[in-house]
Amino acid sequence: NAGVTQTPKFQVLKTGQSMTLQCAQDMNHNSMYWYRQDPGMGLRLIYYSASEGTTDKGEVPNGYNVSRLNKREFSLRLESAAPSQTSVYFCASSEKTGALGGYTFGSGTRLTVV
Amino acid sequence: SQQGEEDPQALSIQEGENATMNCSYKTSINNLQWYRQNSGRGLVHLILIRSNEREKHSGRLRVTLDTSKKSSSLLITASRAADTASYFCATDTGSYIPTFGRGTSLIVHP
C-alpha cells in the first residue's frame, strides 16, 4: 500500500546507545518530517526536510540528527539515547511544505530508553 | 507552548449522537487542519480550512472557523463506534509547518 513506512515499530535502548529510525515514502512527496508524541504533549516537530538535500530544525531538535538520503527516505538518528527520548516517533510527508492536502503519517516507532 | 489547544480533553458519547470538539489558537493563521488518530496508529488528515473560509463539510464532518475568536470546531454527526479516536487540530501560522494541539480523546459507545 502506498504511504509512509517506518521501521522499526518498537525498540528498547539502553542509555547511551545509538540507533537510527528509518522512514520511506512512495508518494513522490517533496517534504518529510519527524515528530515525537508524548502523553499530554501533542506532536512536536523534531526536524523536517522541505526538499531533497535540505534539512531544518524543528521545535525539539536537541539530541537528534537527520539525513535526507534521497527523495524517498528520511532517517532520524539518536547518537546517545537518554530516558527523556522515550516517546513515540512519527514520520510524515507532504507534497511540499504548506501543502494544503495535509500530511501523510507513518504508523510510528515506539521507543523506550532505559 | 502549543499554538492550538483542543477542548474538551475527553468526550464520551453514545452511538448516533453528535460530537463537537473545539480548537483555540493564539496567533493569526493561514489555515487550520484537523486530524484523527486511532489508538497505536499515525494521524490521518481529515479536513483543512483556510483563514478566509468559515465552514467546510466532508461527509459527516463539519468544520467551522471563527478568526475573530481564534477558534475552530469539528462536528461529527451521527457518531459511530468506529469514530472512537483522538482528534487533533493543527495550525499553520505562515511557517508552513503546522503546530499540533494536545488532542481530544473521543469515545463512542455502541
Side-chain angles (χ1 to χ4, degrees):
Chain A
N1 293 333
V4 177
T5 302
Q6 291 183 236
T7 57
K9 293 188 184 304
F10 301 94
Q11 184 71 49
V12 178
L13 289 179
K14 293 182 179 179
T15 297
Q17 287 185 319
S18 62
M19 78 161 295
T20 300
L21 281 64
Q22 307 286 352
C23 175
Q25 52 90 10
D26 58 5
M27 297 169 288
N28 202 36
H29 282 170
N30 289 299
S31 301
M32 298 184 73
Y33 314 81
W34 276 105
Y35 284 90
R36 60 178 288 173
Q37 185 176 33
D38 302 294
M41 294 295 293
L43 274 76
R44 292 182 291 171
L45 182 65
I46 305 171
Y47 271 94
Y48 69 99
S49 171
S51 60
E52 186 179 357
T54 69
T55 61
D56 285 285
K57 295 179 180 179
E59 181 184 355
V60 288
N62 291 344
Y64 306 94
N65 285 300
V66 291
S67 295
R68 183 74 183 268
L69 303 171
N70 47 55
K71 191 172 185 179
R72 291 187 62 248
E73 299 172 287
F74 188 39
S75 63
L76 178 71
R77 183 161 179 84
L78 287 70
E79 291 291 351
S80 179
S84 61
Q85 294 178 305
T86 293
S87 188
V88 181
Y89 292 85
F90 288 99
C91 178
S93 70
S94 64
E95 186 177 351
K96 57 182 179 180
T97 52
L100 299 183
Y103 291 173
T104 301
F105 280 83
S107 57
T109 295
R110 188 173 297 273
L111 175 67
T112 301
V113 183
V114 298
Chain B
S1 62
Q2 312 299 116
Q3 159 70 337
E5 293 290 347
E6 294 88 347
D7 173 66
Q9 291 187 10
L11 182 60
S12 181
I13 61 174
Q14 296 296 126
E15 208 166 29
E17 294 180 339
N18 294 341
T20 299
M21 53 206 85
N22 304 296
C23 173
S24 60
Y25 56 92
K26 299 174 183 175
T27 61
S28 297
I29 60 171
N30 287 342
N31 66 70
L32 186 146
Q33 304 174 29
W34 284 94
Y35 288 80
R36 182 187 75 237
Q37 184 181 32
N38 291 93
S39 180
R41 307 291 295 176
L43 279 71
V44 174
H45 182 256
L46 295 176
I47 197 165
L48 179 147
I49 187 165
R50 302 183 196 213
S51 60
N52 61 353
E53 298 176 313
R54 292 297 168 258
E55 186 171 316
K56 284 190 80 170
H57 296 257
S58 177
R60 294 184 295 113
L61 304 180
R62 172 178 171 251
V63 170
T64 61
L65 179 64
D66 187 334
T67 53
S68 66
K69 295 181 179 179
K70 292 186 170 59
S71 68
S72 174
S73 66
L74 171 66
L75 168 67
I76 304 174
T77 60
S79 295
R80 306 166 181 168
D83 294 327
T84 293
S86 292
Y87 292 81
F88 294 85
C89 68
T91 52
D92 173 8
T93 60
S95 68
Y96 300 111
I97 307 294
T99 303
F100 289 83
R102 292 184 172 87
T104 291
S105 176
L106 172 66
I107 297 176
V108 181
H109 299 278

